[in-house]
Amino acid sequence: MLNVYTRLVSGMLFPLHERLKQHTSVKVRKSLEATQWFLPEKIVRLQVERLRQLLIYANTHVPYYQSLFTCLNFQPVTLNTLSDLQRLPFLDKSTIRANLEALKSDQAHGLARFNTGGSNGEPLVFFIGRERVSHDVAAKWRATRWWGVDIGDPEIVVWGSPIELGTQDTVRVVRDRLFRSKLLPAFEMSDEKIVHFLETIRKFRPKMLFGYPSALSHIAKHADKTGIKMHDLGIQVAFVTSERLYDEQRQQISSTFGCRVANGYGGRDAGFIAHECPAGSMHITAEDVIVEVIDPQGNVLPYGEAGEIVVTHLASKDFPFIRYKTGDIGVLDDKLCECGRGLPLIKEIQGRSTDFIVAYDGTVMHGLALIYILRDMPQIKTFKIIQESLELTRVQIVTEAGLSQADIDQITAAFKARLGHGVTIEIEQVTAVPAEKSGKFRYVVSKVAAT
Ligand SMILES: [Zn+2]
């Protein structure tokens, strides 16, 4: 009976709902389910064509890009390869703030206003058009179907601060529209509340869980501790997003709920960037998103090297995101996934919203300046840098065999060279780096052991 209901929602009610909202997500999802099997070269050709169309449109209808392209003497019709994109500057948060109106297409209607917490406490305001909403909804829908879960299947969502719950982000647009979707507020996690959550999940028997890895693993731990069985509910998959997923969290969630864990990467600003398939790879939504990885000087890095993730969203003509700097650190992979999809892969997301580090004299620098110091020391497996204040930076480090005094001196000296000699550097050797709750990534950077 459940399947009949899911088919009704997925095949009729949701499509009807989307049509009323003037969204094209049903059509887009069907198209994405075809293109995901294209050979990589064919996907690149599709990207180049869509990119050219986006830039031609921006040149005609988006004042910011009209004047930028004129200044650069850039002719969108001449774009032939993805690397031609490198002729354009990056779009960072301060540029968006300074050009909020000029970034809107003169043809845009029905733009939705969003905001996201900024690394320096200043929120970023931006706009998303219907086309982009449809594409982000469709991309998520495709990813859930990779795991045998469809819109209309019962789902438990563990999410959000009260502020986030009050806004209309794209994740919520997807989720709120799902019938049979139940929300558990992740910001209140007392033992009493968690027991209530566990009872709710048992009663609801979801096919899928969705939430922060920290929240889901926290709930799972509590179930184990109190002896509440959760593995027999028929949960198919736990979708996690918004934070780095640690191996021990993956194991905890998987063993307690008796399901697999699927990692997702994206944001309200940057879109639905990548999602894990059942074969274990993070596939980029390449039909809609071009991902570049850059070093602190803005040079594009080859596959396998860690740098800041920069995205171009190809369905963003109402408010273009072209070479948008996410502030996240990741590594691209040139391998093909054994699942057979031609969509390119992100190997690791090393840090999320890595933000900026502020030196003692007030100089703002990218978190990579410090990440690179630790990344290049092979004895270090994982680390976390927490800038507590301008005077104090703490570094938590996980190693196989411990650090020597010479290692500690080397790290301290390198950090002081960048942050200033008046700064105290505290180095702590730990067995694991604890996860952060979402929204507390300020001055926190971390690294994953290369796999
Ligand atoms: Zn795959």
Side-chain angles (χ1 to χ4, degrees), residues 277 279 281 283 337 339:
C277 77
S281 306
H283 286 281
C337 179
C339 74

Side-chain angles (χ1 to χ4, degrees), residues 146 276-283 336-341 343 345:
W146 290 348
E276 187 174 342
C277 77
S281 306
M282 294 281 284
H283 286 281
L336 272 178
C337 179
E338 62 192 40
C339 74
R341 291 180 181 88
L343 301 171
L345 309 179

Side-chain angles (χ1 to χ4, degrees), residues 266-401:
R268 276 171 287 190
D269 46 357
F272 194 89
I273 300 172
H275 212 282
E276 187 174 342
C277 77
S281 306
M282 294 281 284
H283 286 281
I284 295 170
T285 312
E287 300 95 333
D288 285 338
V289 181
I290 295 170
V291 177
E292 298 170 281
V293 168
I294 61 165
D295 70 12
Q297 286 73 44
N299 305 306
V300 171
L301 292 168
Y303 290 112
E305 285 190 31
E308 182 174 0
I309 295 172
V310 170
V311 299
T312 297
H313 200 302
L314 298 169
S316 67
K317 64 182 195 299
D318 293 326
F319 190 94
F321 274 71
I322 297 168
R323 305 198 88 199
Y324 173 69
K325 294 178 80 173
T326 63
D328 298 333
I329 307 299
V331 180
L332 291 176
D333 196 348
D334 60 354
K335 291 198 182 61
L336 272 178
C337 179
E338 62 192 40
C339 74
R341 291 180 181 88
L343 301 171
L345 309 179
I346 285 192
K347 192 153 69 176
E348 315 167 7
I349 317 293
Q350 296 189 337
R352 299 263 170 113
S353 305
T354 300
D355 317 325
F356 295 86
I357 307 280
V358 186
Y360 195 60
D361 64 4
T363 309
V364 177
M365 66 184 101
H366 199 277
L368 274 175
L370 298 182
I371 290 180
Y372 279 168
I373 298 168
L374 302 176
R375 195 198 66 177
D376 293 335
M377 298 178 70
Q379 61 273 49
I380 296 176
K381 267 178 65 186
T382 307
F383 64 80
K384 179 179 260 177
I385 301 164
I386 306 142
Q387 189 173 31
E388 298 281 8
S389 66
L390 288 184
E391 287 83 17
L392 172 66
T393 292
R394 291 196 297 124
V395 190
Q396 296 177 328
I397 294 177
V398 182
T399 59
E400 216 70 271

